[in-house]
Amino acid sequence: MAQLVCGLARRWCFGALGSPLQALHLQALPLHLGRTVMRASQKDFESALRQVKLWKKDPGNEVKLKLYALYKQATEGPCNLPKPGMMDLVNKAKWDAWSALGSLPKETARENYVDLVSSLSAASEPPSPAKPAADGEQAGGDLVVTSENHITTITFNRPAKKNAITTQMYRDIMLALQAASKDDSVLTVLTGNGDYYCSGNDLTNFTDIPPGGPEEKARTNAVLLREFVDYFIDFPKPLVAVVNGPAVGISVTILGLFDLVYASDRATFHTPFSPLGLSPEGCSSYTFPKMMGPSKAAEMLIFGRKLTAQEACAQGLVTEVFPDSTLQKEVWTRLRAYTKLPPNAVRTSREVMRSKGRERLHAVNAEECEALRQRWLSEECASAVLRFMSRKAKL
Ligand SMILES: CCCCC/C=C/C(=O)SCCNC(=O)CCNC(=O)[C@H](O)C(C)(C)COP(=O)(O)OP(=O)(O)OC[C@H]1O[C@@H](n2cnc3c(N)ncnc32)[C@H](O)[C@@H]1OP(=O)(O)O
């Protein structure tokens, strides 16, 4: 589901801009205070509509909702649709945005639309040429996989979205792990491109409701999540995370299934499940209490306490913390040295350390996914996703 956010937004927002426009007239309109100003014309409005369609960069959900609402107000007047159900997240967000304009006159909405487009167009930079992929790299995409010096590296590559994981990325990570389990690499590394390691599950994963409704969506998400986590439980080679920046949600919980976690001193570790109406996943309900004790695990997993890299290291979640400026050099030098160790001995040692707990982890994974399937159908979760989409809430 590469770039779902943009695709989805185009469907529910930009798509609406293609509908026929009502005739609006160019004129100097009187303001309440008696003075007159030139208002945006129908031509300005149409030109703004064309400009929006040419935008290469996704302006973000908040802006798209504003544009949608102003467009509807300018062309149809005050919101005339029945309020969508709580679980119909996308239409509910659109309805809220349009209704919030109340009885704003069509002309003012049109003018605000033109102003918003022109301010955003002025602020946007010309697109930069695409960077060619390095040797051995699977070019472009939201996930980059490289294999070099017996190390397979899987890089989250959506820096503009803080490396949030889309449905397609979950699938691609599983494919990459499958390939890495069979290639000649000794280690498999997960890391992030940009200032974040990963902001967790892409919250818009919840918004494309299939014909079977929210129940089907919750079911397919639970199946996907269970399969994804199973891949980490069963992975046969050492797994290393190079946590280059803040980590959120599932990108934190699965660290309990890794062998080494090296972190920048800029990294933070945050599992805000309760504020999102969710519950823990990635086997963290089992691995975290085992690793840090039940009370520290509860602070993170139930109450959403964010840990610094040093704190996470003290709790055993992180192996070692490096200054951000030397992280890459120090970690990769060390990892290259580890690849020189006899590979069969490395695999055997890991297997004897891991095999005893594997069955238990699968059972924990199944239980967590079932709890989440139910959470995804809750009003608490729907409200949290809506708040995020309308940008009233951040972590
Ligand atoms: C199917 C399997 C399910 C697995 C279950 C997994 C559960 C989890 O992982 S729960 C955790 C989910 N993640 C979050 O709740 C994080 C949400 N994001 C934020 O709170 C913030 O974005 C931030 C704190 C991570 C960063 O804040 P800030 O530095 O102010 O940057 P922006 O908010 O402006 O973000 C830039 C850009 O990125 C988009 N984005 C960031 N995180 C996500 C995300 N998780 N899902 C979707 N989109 C995300 C954000 O919307 C911005 O986009 P634009 O507005 O289009 O610029």
Side-chain angles (χ1 to χ4, degrees):
M1 195 167 59
Q3 301 299 348
L4 169 77
V5 189
C6 306
L8 179 75
R10 246 173 241 125
R11 275 205 307 282
W12 63 257
C13 185
F14 291 165
L17 303 180
S19 58
L21 300 175
Q22 279 182 270
L24 296 166
H25 305 288
L26 167 65
Q27 53 198 318
L29 295 170
L31 285 180
H32 297 307
L33 296 177
R35 64 195 172 92
T36 59
V37 293
M38 286 301 290
R39 286 243 164 127
S41 66
Q42 170 67 12
K43 223 165 133 201
D44 294 334
F45 185 52
E46 285 174 6
S47 151
L49 293 173
R50 279 194 301 275
Q51 214 168 335
V52 166
K53 284 186 188 160
L54 294 175
W55 280 350
K56 294 211 166 55
K57 198 171 159 236
D58 181 356
N61 288 335
E62 190 185 5
V63 168
K64 284 183 291 204
L65 277 174
K66 274 188 198 151
L67 288 172
Y68 166 81
L70 287 169
Y71 170 79
K72 295 295 276 184
Q73 192 86 7
T75 56
E76 294 179 34
C79 182
N80 53 13
L81 296 174
K83 188 174 181 172
M86 195 65 196
M87 296 305 297
D88 189 356
L89 294 176
V90 171
N91 285 319
K92 172 83 169 42
K94 289 163 69 179
W95 189 91
D96 284 345
W98 186 7
S99 295
L101 296 182
S103 57
L104 187 78
K106 283 182 173 180
E107 293 75 16
T108 313
R110 185 177 60 171
E111 186 178 330
N112 291 353
Y113 186 99
V114 171
D115 285 349
L116 180 59
V117 170
S118 91
S119 67
L120 289 166
S121 301
S124 73
E125 288 169 12
S128 51
K131 193 171 151 250
D135 276 356
E137 204 174 83
Q138 283 178 16
D142 295 341
L143 203 70
V144 175
V145 185
T146 60
S147 250
E148 218 180 331
N149 299 323
H150 300 290
I151 301 177
T152 292
T153 306
I154 302 170
T155 306
F156 302 116
N157 187 38
R158 282 182 91 203
K161 299 284 176 188
K162 308 294 182 193
N163 295 329
I165 311 175
T166 61
T167 305
Q168 186 60 46
M169 286 165 76
Y170 286 109
R171 297 205 178 100
D172 289 344
I173 292 168
M174 289 190 271
L175 288 175
L177 289 176
Q178 199 170 41
S181 70
K182 295 188 192 124
D183 69 17
D184 69 352
S185 63
V186 177
L187 303 174
T188 299
V189 175
L190 249 76
T191 192
N193 179 21
D195 61 339
Y196 259 66
Y197 172 68
C198 174
S199 63
N201 186 48
D202 187 312
L203 291 173
T204 65
N205 282 348
F206 296 114
T207 57
D208 60 336
I209 303 296
E215 288 77 12
E216 186 190 332
K217 181 75 193 171
R219 214 170 26 248
T220 53
N221 268 351
V223 169
L224 176 70
L225 177 62
R226 185 166 169 189
E227 200 188 352
F228 177 74
V229 175
D230 276 347
Y231 264 88
F232 286 87
I233 297 172
D234 292 330
F235 193 68
K237 299 179 183 180
L239 276 166
V240 183
V242 178
V243 185
N244 53 296
V248 184
I250 189 160
S251 72
V252 176
T253 55
I254 54 167
L255 293 178
L257 302 171
F258 279 57
D259 300 277
L260 300 170
V261 179
Y262 294 135
S264 152
D265 57 6
R266 257 188 350 95
T268 51
F269 297 82
H270 195 190
T271 49
F273 299 126
S274 299
L276 289 168
L278 297 177
S279 53
E281 79 306 89
C283 295
S284 58
S285 64
Y286 174 71
T287 57
F288 281 27
K290 214 165 153 235
M291 168 193 310
M292 54 183 82
S295 144
K296 290 288 180 190
E299 245 196 333
M300 274 192 90
L301 297 176
I302 304 176
F303 300 105
R305 178 157 187 268
K306 191 196 286 187
L307 300 193
T308 63
Q310 293 295 356
E311 287 171 330
C313 193
Q315 299 310 332
L317 180 61
V318 164
T319 315
E320 192 170 333
V321 181
F322 296 83
D324 193 53
S325 55
T326 59
L327 171 82
Q328 301 296 339
K329 187 163 179 284
E330 291 195 55
V331 164
W332 291 103
T333 304
R334 191 179 300 187
L335 292 180
R336 275 192 289 273
Y338 288 165
T339 63
K340 305 280 187 308
L341 293 166
N344 293 333
V346 168
R347 278 177 84 143
T348 305
S349 298
R350 185 177 189 270
E351 187 53 23
V352 292
M353 285 177 77
R354 293 263 162 187
S355 58
K356 289 171 280 293
R358 204 166 276 139
E359 208 177 312
R360 181 70 203 266
L361 290 172
H362 282 300
V364 170
N365 185 25
E367 191 191 335
E368 288 178 346
C369 290
E370 173 52 21
L372 265 174
R373 187 190 64 75
Q374 294 177 30
R375 288 279 82 224
W376 284 322
L377 294 171
S378 70
E379 200 173 312
E380 287 174 347
C381 175
S383 308
V385 173
L386 255 185
R387 274 199 307 276
F388 176 75
M389 285 181 64
S390 58
R391 310 306 285 141
K392 285 185 198 118
K394 256 186 208 180
L395 294 174

